[in-house]
Amino acid sequence: THSFASTLTKQWGSHSLKTGIELRVYRENQSFFGNDGVGRFTFDANWTRETNTASMPNPPMGHSVAALLLGLPTSASLTRQASYAEQSPTWGLFVQDDWKVTPRLTVNLGLRWEYEGPLTERFNRSVKGFDPNFIQPSEAAAQAAYAANAIPELPASAFRVRGGYYFAGVDGQSRGLYETSWRHFMPRVGFAYQLRDKTVLRGGYGLFYGFLGQRRGDVVQHGFSSITDYSPTDDGGLTFPNSMLNPFPQVVEPLGAAGGGATFLNQNLRPFDQLPLSPYEQRWQFGVQRELAGGFVADIAYVGNRGTHIEILRDINATPREFLSTSLFRDNPVIQRLSGNTANPFRGVLPGTTLNTSSTISVERLLRPYPHFGTISMSTNQGYTWYHSLQLSVQKRFSRGYTLMGSYTFSKFMQAVEYLNATDPRPLETISEFDTPHRISISGIWELPFGRGKAFGASLPAAASVLVSGWQLQGIYVFQSGVPVTFDRTVDPVRQVGSNRGVMFFGDVSTIRKENQSIEGWFNTAGFVTRSADLIDTGRQLRTFPLRFGWLRQDPLNNWDLSILKNTALAEGKNLQIRFEFLNAMNHPNFGAPVTQPTSSTFSQVTSVQNYSRRVQLTAKFVF
């Protein structure tokens, strides 16, 4: 990371002005050596055991070495994997005025502007976007083959073989992997007002942009790598014509961007959204601070946050929802129809893919928008979040040998950053998996009143004073509500019946709640469908069961950390500190999430712990 920053501050009467500029350049270089130029060979007993049958066990030893000596690998491959050198720059400018309006009122006004440049690869070794209108060279041949065996759900006139990658720096495309906005202005405003001598009101608002590509990651180099496979025989071991002396006579070299829209056929794509919306958060708060008797200071504040344009990944090549079942129960006719096979129109027209050699293809594959590809993961910016909290804190400033701090937060965190079904028009509004309604934190330090300068033992002899002086006790206690339990996404464990969203197959959904939770059973499983044969197929049926409930949560955090400190002054400017620390002092387990896969034998059971057992640490530190 290369960074440059400069700021200028000027005092002007009751104004304190600050302005600055910042440049950051993020760079990453990766070289993948893998098995380039050498190859990877797997030797086992495949060609050396007595009979080539599934029931014949492998010999105990020696046969893989025998296969090596015979030069007969079971499989081998040679990889050509591209390296990359990527970077993205970010510019920032800001101006801020801290204005002392009156002796009691201070106002903070600021504006920040940022520009995040697009991600680039030094030699354009990356895909860029997805063109839904690109006509595949195989379209005419595939359409003719499909017309001869069209399925009822899709008329021959509607069958298309369109869509494909386009690449950075090719055919007039810019080097940037996506376009970025220049309109990232972020206002900031705050104030502090002294209402009384010991009471202060504070408030503020700010807008903050996030970075693009946080979920996307690095460049995507589909087409810039290749794999050459090798097999010693083409007839199951009757003959071995392919010699190990030259196992890769025709190495498949990467085409790079030369493959164009026909790159990565029948595979999963990850194109970049070309016009992404930058995620941003709005934060605001208002609070009161009051100095109390005895050196205590209390705070109470409302804090809110709204996240907008949160990035979500979704498959734009999912089976259209009009072909999916909306049944509340397992719909075997629809499942069997969609998973069933029909004549493959791509046979013989997509060289280098398994579709080229297969005589059949699943019905649902032909119904997808781009049947010549697998999943196509594209980012959207439909996500949003909202958070509200009441935050209380009390602090006892250090005096009389002790200090004490305590805080309590009551909050709710909601989100819409997930799609319940791949084809849903909007993300699901639900309680966040990070929601923790209650958090209590208490910490303190107490200097024991013994030894030099203290209430007891101040006149002890020097040797005894060294032993009894400088002792401290410290403690931190944290309680935090457990996060909501997230139910398995692969299956729909309970079907809802009727118009009430809270009704499930065997009763009201509230019966999931269990009065006496234990690790052997965290929630009631009586209303769940647990046989695989009865579960709905979420790939071919629309799911309606929520991902999580606000009232079903994991085990809360309940933790004590304690320590005993001994500070000893050995000489002027030389001090020794010894710390005895007890982390998770009560050895209290913080259990993990229960198993939410209904077909699992451990369904509803807790099988993991999130924290560590009690740890005792002894530390010595010499300061000079």
Side-chain angles (χ1 to χ4, degrees), residues 372-393:
H372 48 298
F373 290 116
T375 60
I376 304 177
S377 297
M378 182 75 78
S379 63
T380 73
N381 296 96
Q382 288 185 298
Y384 52 96
T385 62
W386 63 102
Y387 171 85
H388 301 283
S389 68
L390 176 67
Q391 300 182 8
L392 308 173
S393 68

Side-chain angles (χ1 to χ4, degrees), residues 89-92 112-119 176-186 207 209-213 273-280 309 381:
T90 298
W91 286 92
R112 182 178 177 88
W113 171 83
E114 284 186 355
Y115 170 70
E116 179 187 358
L119 184 68
L177 302 186
Y178 41 81
E179 304 298 324
T180 56
S181 173
W182 293 80
R183 299 189 296 274
H184 289 174
F185 294 96
M186 294 172 281
L207 190 150
Y209 276 96
F211 289 103
L212 293 167
D273 180 11
Q274 294 306 289
L275 296 172
L277 300 173
S278 296
Y280 66 89
H309 295 161
N381 296 96

Side-chain angles (χ1 to χ4, degrees), residues 424-499:
D424 286 349
R426 294 174 57 85
L428 174 70
E429 290 189 354
T430 182
I431 194 76
S432 171
E433 70 264 45
F434 304 110
D435 177 65
T436 54
H438 304 281
R439 178 179 173 88
I440 299 172
S441 177
I442 302 173
S443 62
I445 301 175
W446 179 34
E447 284 190 346
L448 298 184
F450 303 111
R452 188 182 304 117
K454 301 299 181 180
F456 303 101
S459 58
L460 287 173
S465 180
V466 169
L467 293 176
V468 300
S469 298
W471 289 94
Q472 291 181 338
L473 301 180
Q474 293 185 5
I476 300 174
Y477 172 71
V478 175
F479 172 87
Q480 181 173 285
S481 302
V483 297
V485 172
T486 299
F487 281 91
D488 188 86
R489 294 189 63 96
T490 59
V491 291
D492 199 349
V494 183
R495 298 310 301 177
Q496 299 164 13
V497 178
S499 59

